[in-house]
Amino acid sequence: MQHDFKALAELYKNALLNDVLPFWEKHSLDWELGGYFTCLDRTGKVYDTDKFIWLQNRQVWTFSMLYNQLEKRENWLTIAQLGATFLSQHGRDAEGNWYFALTREGKPLVQPYNIFSDCFAAMAFSQYALASGEDWAKDVAMQAYNNVLRRKDNPKGNYNKTYPGTRPMKALAVPMILANLTLEMEWLLPKETLENVLAATVSEVMTDFFDQQQGLMYENVAPDGSHVDCFEGRLINPGHGIEAMWFIMDIARRNNDTKTINQAVDVVLNILNFAWDSEYGGLYYFMDANGYPPQQLEWDQKLWWVHLESLVALAMGLRLTGREACWDWYQKVHEYAWSHFSDQKHGEWFGYLNRRGEVLLNLKGGKWKGCFHVPRALYLCWQQFEAQIV
């Protein structure tokens, strides 16, 4: 397997530095008004100029993180600054909540209806503060992080559509993202806060959302962790479950907690077995735990981020445990992902395929796909494989 690791590390490094980053550097930068264009067609042409806060923040994070962890390239810091300056001026309402969307100029379009904008703001400005040394960026990061902690039990606040009290549920997205975010904020947080939040989120994910009988991660559970028999209560989101598990592995690795690492790997393998399309290959987007029709009409689409997060989880699981099952599944997912999503002609990766694996939307970026999952996964897989070259 030695040669495989070297070739794989090279593949990911090359794709990141010579394909994906140049695509965004060339097409997404709004030098005139600040921030980034994320709605890019197959060739990189801008087809909509609205600016979605969580994608803006994710791009700030991507270029800041690479500047911090890979190489101090001046142009990466300049690109991060282009977004950070725009967001600090236009991104929040008077109370400091982050909007969901702005016009190209920075006028608010969509209200701050959930905390994911705040989560990615905290991540982005934490990395940007580290890269730039700007104190104001630290303040922005901490304010966004405290917003997340304040709103985590009622993430949508006033914008919640559900009637209060009838069928209370909590979502996996909140503790999993809080776990990852807290790790990101490590350099800014008191040690006690860091350890407390990490321990609480890991415990919640692995206790309340994990179904031991099925070995699967549920997307929504009752506040006490029990199952609720309805569409949302039976929902399995394979990509989320797998992404959550590599967050958990990353946290457990810091404490040399091999038991939790192996448990997380078990869950990844269970989800892959459950969610793999045996007829056409690839992983389903949404599934019902009991095999009923899911309510999401796009349930059988194959999405870029689901497969990329799986590659990260398998590469990390392989490195941390050496388990053969991780390698077997890695090869299977790799073969599917690289042959279906990577665009050899125009660069970057497609985001949306139909069940048969044909390109459904030939965009490279839109309202939900930006400069984040592809570069992050390429970077992380490169690092995992490079660490295994003997």
Side-chain angles (χ1 to χ4, degrees), residues 203-361:
S203 165
E204 188 178 2
V205 170
M206 299 310 275
T207 306
D208 290 359
F209 293 92
F210 176 54
D211 181 279
Q212 286 190 318
Q213 218 173 340
Q214 289 174 290
L216 298 173
M217 277 289 151
Y218 275 65
E219 191 68 7
N220 304 293
V221 294
D224 66 356
S226 61
H227 293 318
V228 183
D229 190 18
C230 64
F231 277 126
E232 286 89 357
R234 295 190 304 266
L235 179 64
I236 305 289
N237 178 335
H240 250 178
I242 290 170
E243 184 182 9
M245 288 307 97
W246 78 250
F247 292 171
I248 299 291
M249 285 183 226
D250 204 25
I251 293 165
R253 177 187 54 80
R254 297 167 73 252
N255 312 321
N256 295 318
D257 180 355
T258 52
K259 184 176 175 234
T260 302
I261 291 170
N262 274 294
Q263 192 186 7
V265 170
D266 288 341
V267 178
V268 170
L269 300 174
N270 289 341
I271 296 173
L272 290 167
N273 278 311
F274 181 76
W276 187 260
D277 182 346
S278 56
E279 192 175 347
Y280 294 105
L283 293 156
Y284 290 117
Y285 188 17
F286 292 113
M287 300 183 79
D288 185 285
N290 298 345
Y292 294 123
Q295 69 171 333
Q296 290 84 359
L297 303 181
E298 69 276 25
W299 70 275
D300 67 347
Q301 287 177 23
K302 310 290 165 66
L303 267 71
W304 86 108
W305 70 268
V306 176
H307 294 77
L308 283 159
E309 298 305 328
S310 300
L311 290 173
V312 173
L314 289 164
M316 196 178 281
L318 179 67
R319 178 186 163 201
L320 294 174
T321 69
R323 286 165 63 173
E324 203 59 36
C326 289
W327 178 243
D328 295 341
W329 263 111
Y330 172 80
Q331 290 174 290
K332 196 170 175 176
V333 179
H334 176 103
E335 163 54 32
Y336 183 88
W338 283 88
S339 62
H340 287 80
F341 290 103
S342 174
D343 182 1
Q344 298 305 314
K345 191 171 179 192
H346 294 288
E348 238 278 346
W349 284 40
F350 296 115
Y352 304 87
L353 313 176
N354 64 20
R355 186 184 168 193
R356 293 183 299 278
E358 298 152 348
V359 175
L360 190 61
L361 297 168

Side-chain angles (χ1 to χ4, degrees), residues 42-53:
R42 184 181 180 186
T43 63
K45 182 169 172 273
V46 178
Y47 65 86
D48 194 297
T49 60
D50 288 351
K51 289 173 179 165
F52 306 99
I53 293 288

